[in-house]
Amino acid sequence: MSLNPRLVKESFSVIEPVAGKAAAYFYGRLFAENPHLRCMFPPGMDVQRDRLFSALTRIVWSLDSPDSMASFLGQLGRDHRKYGVLPEHYGAIGRALLATVRRFAADVWTDEIEAAWVAAYNAAAELMMRAAQEEAGVSPAWWVAEVVDHERRTPDIAVVTVRPTQRLPFTAGQYVSVQTARWPRVWRPFSIANAPRPDNTLRLHVRSVPGGWVSTTLARDTRIGDAIMLGPPMGTMAPPEPGSRDVLCVAGGTGLAPLKAIIEQIIASGRRPGIHLLYGARTAAELYDLPDLLRMESAFPWLRVVPVVSGDPAYDGMRGRLPEVTQRFHSWAEHEVYVCGPAAMVGETVRRLQEDGVPPARIHRDVTHDER
Ligand SMILES: NC(=O)C1=CN([C@@H]2O[C@H](COP(=O)(O)OP(=O)(O)OC[C@H]3O[C@@H](n4cnc5c(N)ncnc54)[C@H](OP(=O)(O)O)[C@@H]3O)[C@@H](O)[C@H]2O)C=CC1
């Protein structure tokens, strides 16, 4: 049976409004039928349920773009090695998924829809298994990394430098998932805040969020010499192609991390595009990386760093909210644009940029990391 993206999308749109219930049913069914799989997942499943649905949403909506589906599923397959997922697990996952969509789309379900889901799942599982298999023997399923530096920049934000014990190749703009010894099987994504370095170190910008297990452990309770685990690099945000346009980066809070990596990579490439970095925080004290950015600016005259403060009327510099400041600052229609930060800020900034004529293909945004 060949893929039928339309039937999968139509039936999936019936399930989307009850995504939470469907994800809970899926895991309940998976663990009831395969109790041995439960130990591969964290004790608290809330984040996992959200992840399942966001991955599923992404797969379903990219079913008619084979390249982007293959690239996403390849990364997902490589990433799932760190959970210990093996080819034999895909059958069990497929059965639980099919039972879930059949139940939650019961009102519209037909044999054709069932066949379309089976074909789509088999194709997706095949891409994930193949990518995982190709990686086995070439790269570890996860990396152990030693914390070699830990700076508390604000009461809530730390810049953590780690050195994996084996080389971890990545592209500027990508992220890794992190597991700490305190919270086994709980993985949270953080962007790598530097371009690849000869000494193999990676920097992470971590804001401890209330109730965030991994972020709080990393920001407050981690010391030099501690070991953490890193999953394989993920994400498709990457530096612009050589010879391309001037660059705008709009960073909200710790959303700065991947944009700093991209700027470092552009500088290291020897190219000289003009780069504007609008770097926003609520107060001047929250601009936790400004001294470092100003050093980069003075070493690279084509970079202009513009701190923007949204919550302090007495701030003696650019004031306002990032989406509005971005819009009134300049016309960016000819730029390559990168936006990263809180999801609502990213959405609003992207909307305004498009309104002002920046084509969507030239706007690069990170996945949000709001689950930590
Ligand atoms: N650490 C990492 O590696 C990465 C983090 N991220 C994501 O970046 C985000 C950073 O969060 P955090 O450091 O807490 O940032 P903050 O919540 O401190 O916000 C930073 C700036 O963004 C503005 N902002 C927030 N919400 C909105 C909005 N709805 N509209 C317009 N402006 C807004 C804030 O202004 P105000 O609130 O005054 O409007 C402030 O100026 C998180 O969502 C995180 O998941 C993304 C990629 C990498």
Side-chain angles (χ1 to χ4, degrees):
M1 160 90 197
S2 58
L3 286 180
N4 190 330
R6 185 182 59 80
L7 287 182
V8 174
K9 285 179 187 174
E10 281 173 9
S11 47
F12 187 67
S13 63
V14 177
I15 303 167
E16 272 183 307
V18 286
K21 278 189 186 155
Y25 179 84
F26 166 80
Y27 282 112
R29 179 122 191 175
L30 181 68
F31 298 146
E33 286 175 0
N34 310 274
H36 61 289
L37 296 185
R38 181 65 185 92
C39 64
M40 290 164 62
F41 292 84
M45 290 290 294
D46 301 11
V47 169
Q48 199 65 35
R49 283 192 203 117
D50 294 348
R51 272 192 199 159
L52 171 79
F53 250 84
S54 62
L56 207 52
T57 307
R58 191 151 167 198
I59 294 164
V60 168
W61 293 111
S62 64
L63 278 174
D64 10 50
S65 331
D67 288 349
S68 87
M69 185 170 104
S71 140
F72 176 63
L73 286 164
Q75 288 196 354
L76 210 58
R78 286 188 283 276
D79 188 56
H80 274 62
R81 292 176 64 219
K82 72 178 191 246
Y83 300 117
V85 173
L86 298 171
E88 55 265 35
H89 298 143
Y90 282 89
I93 295 166
R95 282 190 295 280
L97 179 64
L98 201 62
T100 305
V101 290
R102 197 188 289 127
R103 180 187 174 104
F104 285 85
D107 291 348
V108 297
W109 203 250
T110 62
D111 289 348
E112 289 72 34
I113 293 177
E114 172 128 356
W117 272 93
V118 170
Y121 179 77
N122 288 344
E126 179 57 36
L127 285 165
M128 287 180 69
M129 284 188 283
R130 198 181 319 140
Q133 202 177 5
E134 282 167 6
E135 202 76 349
V138 179
S139 290
W142 68 83
W143 282 253
V144 175
E146 183 190 345
V147 175
V148 294
D149 196 25
H150 189 281
E151 296 173 56
R152 279 286 279 278
R153 298 274 179 93
T154 75
D156 291 332
I157 300 178
V159 172
V160 185
T161 309
V162 300
R163 184 184 291 118
T165 53
Q166 280 172 277
R167 224 175 75 73
L168 194 164
F170 69 94
T171 308
Q174 287 194 300
Y175 61 93
V176 284
S177 49
V178 176
Q179 183 184 205
T180 57
R182 179 172 293 185
W183 300 108
R185 303 194 303 281
V186 179
W187 295 86
R188 296 288 187 265
F190 293 91
S191 289
I192 303 168
N194 55 279
R197 294 173 171 170
D199 69 359
N200 199 28
T201 56
L202 271 58
R203 277 190 151 189
L204 310 174
H205 293 186
V206 184
R207 179 191 287 278
S208 135
V209 295
W213 296 355
V214 177
S215 66
T216 302
T217 302
L218 281 177
R220 295 171 190 262
D221 301 319
T222 295
R223 305 282 172 266
I224 291 175
D226 287 353
I228 63 172
M229 285 162 74
L230 306 175
M234 306 265 287
T236 51
M237 201 161 75
E241 295 297 322
S244 63
R245 308 157 179 276
D246 286 346
V247 175
L248 165 68
C249 294
V250 185
T254 53
L256 171 68
L259 305 190
K260 191 176 180 193
I262 282 175
I263 294 171
E264 271 190 24
Q265 185 64 59
I266 296 173
I267 294 175
S269 73
R271 289 186 288 126
R272 300 285 176 261
I275 307 173
H276 272 87
L277 168 61
L278 304 189
Y279 169 40
R282 216 151 284 141
T283 63
E286 289 275 297
L287 293 165
Y288 66 92
D289 205 37
L290 190 57
D292 225 29
L293 295 173
L294 294 177
R295 270 193 294 278
M296 279 170 87
E297 185 182 47
S298 58
F300 186 77
W302 295 269
L303 170 64
R304 182 157 173 217
V305 177
V306 183
V308 181
V309 166
S310 55
D312 177 5
Y315 178 65
D316 184 26
M318 183 76 77
R319 286 194 305 270
R321 309 188 79 215
L322 275 170
E324 287 125 50
V325 171
T326 305
Q327 192 170 36
R328 72 166 189 258
F329 196 88
H330 200 288
S331 163
W332 307 105
E334 297 305 321
H335 282 63
E336 204 70 40
V337 181
Y338 293 82
V339 189
C340 198
M345 174 237 120
V346 172
E348 175 66 7
T349 306
V350 167
R351 193 185 62 72
R352 287 173 184 250
L353 286 163
Q354 288 184 355
E355 217 174 71
D356 289 350
V358 185
R362 284 216 301 272
I363 302 179
H364 312 272
R365 52 158 111 189
D366 193 19
V367 292
T368 55
H369 294 315
D370 277 333
E371 62 193 39
R372 68 200 70 176

